[in-house]
Amino acid sequence: MIPGEFDILQISYFPEENVKAMLVRISDVLNGVQAENYQDIYISTHYAKYGKLYHAVSHECMRRFANQLTFIDSDRSTRVSYLDMEPFLQKERLFQICRDLILSGNYSAAGKVLQTRPMGTEMSRLLSLADALIRFTPEQAKPEFNLLADVLERYHADQEAVAFCRGMQKLCEQDAGSVITYLYNISEFYYEQEQLVEFFVYYYRLVEEWVLYAMGWDVGYGNELRLAKGREFSLPLPRERIQTYLHHYIRVLRNERYRLARKYRSQIDRTNWKNLPLSEQDRAYIEICMFLTEDRFNELLELRHEGVSGHGFEDFTLKECIELCGGIPPLEKLDPMLARWGVKPEHNIIQLLNHALLSVLDEALQ
Amino acid sequence: MDEPLIPQWIVTVHEYDDAVSRLQQEYNFISRFLSAQDAQEPPLLYLWYCIQVDSEREAQYWQEVRRKVQSVVSQTFAGVQLRVLVVPYISTSLEDLTAAFAPYIHKISVIHPLDRLGQVVGTGDPAVAHAFFIEAIKQWEDRYVSLYPDDFAYTAVDTPALFVEKSWHSVFRQLVLNYDYRDALQALNERIRLQGEEEELTLVKHALKMLVDRLNFAFRQASVHLKPLEAIPHPLIAQTKEILNRLLLAEGNRDGDLERIAELYRHLDLYLEMDQLHSFFIRFYRAREAVLQFIYRYGGDAVREAPTSPHVIHQLIEQIEEDYAKEELYRYVAAYFYAKSKNVTDTLQLRNVSIVGHGRRGFRDKSVWEKYTGYGGHPMYKSKLKFERDSALVLRDLGTDSDEHFSEWNQWILTQVSKGVHKYEQEAAAANSGTDTTRADLDPW
């Protein structure tokens, strides 16, 4: 066809005809259309009195040449309004769409967009890892941690990052260090997304897990407290039953501070602790105790309880929580302490996963 | 394909029509159609009650309509699961109709992620049915099926997996329909940066900011962002203003306390719809506590201060139990039984040992819904539906209603954006009209 020319196709309407016969007839007419000769195919609602026939033609055209099809809403206004649905997206476009969805954590939406294209199993396995990470069911995607590492290796990621991903498999065994890394990573993600209710919940949990780690303790599968092996320092488990709550840990640390005050026969407070001749372990616990009980930091932790994540309806704004941290984001505030205990994550599993997803996607679209 | 096929039946009415007799006309057709289906366990059918109106109405009005229609059809079709969706529309232009359908079609898609969904051809006014077709095939893709009833049988025509949505518009839609307002806002800013500001798009920007704030419970900020929209005469905006005003009332004000509970349940529904169980659980604990506190405060004749130690939920429940026994409290019994039920308590126990509580467990759909419904065999959509219905009852008992507020905002946003985008495309087309011969030849239409 020469641009500018058009053909009109007519399919007549027989009121008494049964559905099967009608469908066959439509099919026959459309079989005669050599779609590749046309640039666009238009369906007008102009003569849409015959609902069934019109629907059958629309659906059949959609099944055959969706990529060239345009619907015209003619009797409403002079304006031609059309809805286009192109099947064969330009690669860059599809990449762009998925990129946006993946980076914003909409993994299921990205999966949906990709459903209609053969993407290979790697893509869907990585997406299932993403899902497992968000739901915190890593054991459901255990082999995918290695897959992630392999994919990153293939795209020449830094060896440390590759090793980090393999190591994160320990999340399946609820390894304390990996749990801290996870909580740090996911807090970072929600902070960037400005989902502050989520952020404070994970941030609070991060502090809770870090303090547990620092005290030399761990929890078993029944959530019972026990002494961990191979930690630098540790406090004895208290005789009274305590639960795995941060405020219980803080109570233990306070008691430790009183005990140390008796041991060193000196009051220990915010002004003098740095200058006291404390042993290395004692100094470390005093430092944590001071850090956690500092007023503004305490206020920050309290936000979790004051919001809908706890017992209140308090609102959150980014500005406010930066103020409470003395002008820096809350995670940065925590960094020196985590580094001091050797649990500050060097990488972000979610970012690395996104990176791998985008690389695989890019390759699949080549 | 072996996946279940769920028929979608469209009824179009005008607000001045006699709805009951209009529905009665439909009964024969529906029962004839149902009898043609294979005798599966109670068949499921969606009735799309599309109602044309002259002007916008309050969401609550539509809730009421939905409830009425649902009760009328449920009585007629015992043994059939017939669910009603009410879709109001004003104009029958393709654009407006598809925007009206979009959030509901999305909802069905999310509720039935694995099922095939069949439009019953011949139902509904042709213009409405056509808009439904276009929106549904766009969202359901290869799960879309045309169902042609023919005497006592029907013919199903499926759709091959052949297209994906394209372009900025489709990313934006995905983000909005997934309630990801922050990223939608970023996408919009990017578009404005590239193609210039349109009035419609600026309004959408304010709306998105307002919604971001609301999901953070930052209502003061949300009110600020609603301001530029207030001049628009649209019931959704008026209603939102009222909601925000109530949300800003201090704690201890009955209307404010109630609206905050309603808002919390709006969020819960949204996270449930998105299957984001961690976000759901972060808020569910508070929802139950807020309901109990509300009962304690307003359930008797004298308004009381909330108990001083809200941290111990069991004490609060015991106190309320005592007070009911002494008849100091007598209202909101349904909400009380819900909040203290074993189902709710067991479900929340999962939160306590989870990664968002104080433990290291994750969230598996199966165990969550087994706890909530007390039965492991329900399909997920059914369990979610149970949750939604329970919540609706609680809210009604407390004196408010559940609504589709955020879906309505999605619809408003998508309509605005398609207006803005069309304007842009028209201008672009006008600029090119000299060269674009193909389009010019279409003028006869």
Side-chain angles (χ1 to χ4, degrees), chain B residues 176-196:
Chain B
V176 170
L177 291 175
N178 283 302
Y179 307 100
D180 187 347
Y181 300 123
R182 183 192 156 276
D183 288 302
L185 180 63
Q186 280 194 345
L188 186 65
N189 281 334
E190 184 63 14
R191 185 182 175 98
I192 290 174
R193 195 178 64 80
L194 293 173
Q195 308 198 320

Side-chain angles (χ1 to χ4, degrees), chain A residues 4 59 79 190 198 205 311, chain B residues 95 146 162 278-279 289 359 441:
Chain A
H59 194 189
R79 189 181 68 200
Y190 282 120
E198 273 75 9
R205 280 287 292 127
H311 308 280
Chain B
E95 255 179 297
S146 286
L162 38 68
H278 57 293
S279 292
E289 187 188 65
D441 282 348

